[in-house]
Amino acid sequence: MNFEIGKNLLDKTSADVALVFAFESKKSYKLTPAVDVLDLALKKSITNGLDFENFAGKDAEVFSTFTNNVIVPKKIAVVGLGKKEELTPHKLRQTVAKFARSLNKKVNSVSVALLDDVKISHPEQVQMIAEGFLTGSYRFSEYLKKEKTERELEAVIFTGVAAKEKKETEERFAFVQMVYGAVKLARDLINEPGMKVTPEVLSKQARDIAKSSPQISVQVYNRAQCEKMGMGAFLGVARGSEQEPQFVHLTYKPKSTRNKRKLAIVGKAITFDTGGLSLKPSKYMVNMKLDMSGAAAILGLFSIITKLQPEFEVMGIFAATPNVISANAYTPDDVLRAMNGKTIEIINTDAEGRVTLADSLSYAVKQGATEIVDLATLTGAMIMALGEDYTGLFGNNEKFKQEILAAYKKSGEKVWEMPLPQEYKQHNKSEIADVANLASNMWGGAITAALFLEEFVDETPWVHLDIAGPAFAEHNNELSPKGGTGHGVSTLVYLVKGDLK
Ligand code: BES
Ligand code: ZN
Ligand code: ZN
């Protein structure tokens, strides 16, 4: 998909569909000036049509009509944005994403008139609209014979960009394309079945990324090497599978060594979660290819990190294995020893994420991380608490929590802070080991899981993001079709780079 700055007004811009916006107002709808112009040219067939259809300008409401060659675009689509005072950048992006998804596959090009007289600047509108088109048009069509042959939307042409806005607009085009490339990589990795995206496929991906730049290096440890490092927790989970477990450590180094910060980003990387011997019921096993979404976000970020050029070192760390069954699989009552020496009593083999993360976090600490943020599709309880769209944020350090929350605010991805009450730690106690992998009570499962992770970060400032809900859309949602969403990629971009325009 290409983005272009149109040279003409909308009625003279060649495109299959001209997209214009309308707002909801007290009595009915309120058209933007761009629509008025078209309506005049089309002898009121837009307003007549809107009235006939009782169009109200509500969020994502769409009215479309053919122009019968009276003006250059073939079709006009009027899209509602709700109340003008309530318009936010994210709402604009969301509305466009939904519109993009609804477009007929025959549509090759769309022109769009930017809004005047709203609080969002033209370049920011361009960014939101462009992101909306890309994220909304994503399809995972690898296995669909039909879709593969269908065309994608080729061009989006923006009209109303002033000469002095041109440079910034073009920068935004490039930024949006770059971030979307990373999101798409994450989505594709998640959407591929676990039997295809094996631990070795994930480590190969990391190796390929490292090959692309001298600023990125990667170390990959196999079963024997993990054993040497004392990763008994990760290897416990990996025992049931014949696939070679892969512990991946990506490093991005800045050009200057002045900044001593060393940020570790840790991801859960279970390529498929059957639950292990504590087997998941069939209904709950479906979609468990999503369980490597944390690692997918890391790979997405690293695929563009040299374009971002953060000023400090960034480590991407994940322990990849499926959680499956064989005669060799780890069992309830097992006691595993993590890399930091702590022992873990296994109560439930389906609480495997925290067990693999125990070693990933210990490793990050040992590598001298100055801060650790982890992304993990960790608990169903998180989805119970916040629903499908929100990530739960936990942490042991106020300043670092605020930094991550600020990055979330910039990306527009949804997050909600959760408590980390030390008095709940007692629920993770084990009689025979330092900690149990399942809480003894049934409440607040996302919190007790987070408290378990805290056992492995020492005093390092740490934030845990339970992305179990937003990592995977069970149905088409605002910004993505059903499947992996790439949640976290955009937030990580803003985290390592702050404001990038
Ligand atoms: N991968 C799951 C968590 C999950 C569930 C992610 C649904 C996305 C959607 C995790 O490994 C798991 O199975 N958690 C169990 C923990 C329980 C055994 C304490 C859960 O949430 O049921
Ligand atoms: Zn599980
Ligand atoms: Zn899992």
Side-chain angles (χ1 to χ4, degrees), residues 415-434:
V415 68
W416 193 253
E417 188 179 345
M418 297 285 293
L420 199 62
Q422 296 301 307
E423 60 275 24
Y424 286 11
K425 256 188 162 166
Q426 52 167 315
H427 302 305
N428 285 336
K429 275 203 179 128
S430 156
E431 297 276 321
I432 61 160
D434 295 323

Side-chain angles (χ1 to χ4, degrees), residues 268 273 280 288 291 348 350 352 377-380 383 438:
K268 177 170 171 181
D273 184 9
K280 282 185 187 295
M288 274 305 140
D291 221 13
N348 187 315
D350 195 14
E352 83 298 337
T377 45
L378 202 62
T379 65
I383 314 176
L438 189 73

Side-chain angles (χ1 to χ4, degrees), residues 281-334:
S282 324
K283 201 174 119 196
Y284 293 98
M285 209 186 287
V286 177
N287 292 338
M288 274 305 140
K289 62 182 182 182
L290 67 79
D291 221 13
M292 36 59 78
S293 297
I298 293 178
L299 290 167
L301 173 71
F302 270 80
S303 72
I304 57 168
I305 201 164
T306 53
K307 292 189 186 144
L308 300 166
Q309 287 294 324
E311 285 163 9
F312 47 86
E313 181 171 331
V314 183
M315 300 188 271
I317 295 166
F318 58 85
T321 178
N323 181 26
V324 291
I325 294 176
S326 72
N328 215 15
Y330 83 138
T331 63
D333 288 356
D334 241 346

Side-chain angles (χ1 to χ4, degrees), residues 45-50 53 55 61-65 76-80:
S45 69
I46 300 179
T47 36
N48 286 338
L50 291 172
E53 302 276 335
F55 183 88
E61 201 181 346
V62 180
F63 167 82
S64 60
T65 182
I76 307 279
V78 184
V79 173

Side-chain angles (χ1 to χ4, degrees), residues 398-410:
E398 196 51 41
K399 192 162 160 250
F400 192 43
K401 276 198 289 195
Q402 291 307 324
E403 191 185 348
I404 307 271
L405 285 168
Y408 259 103
K409 197 152 193 199
K410 283 180 191 151

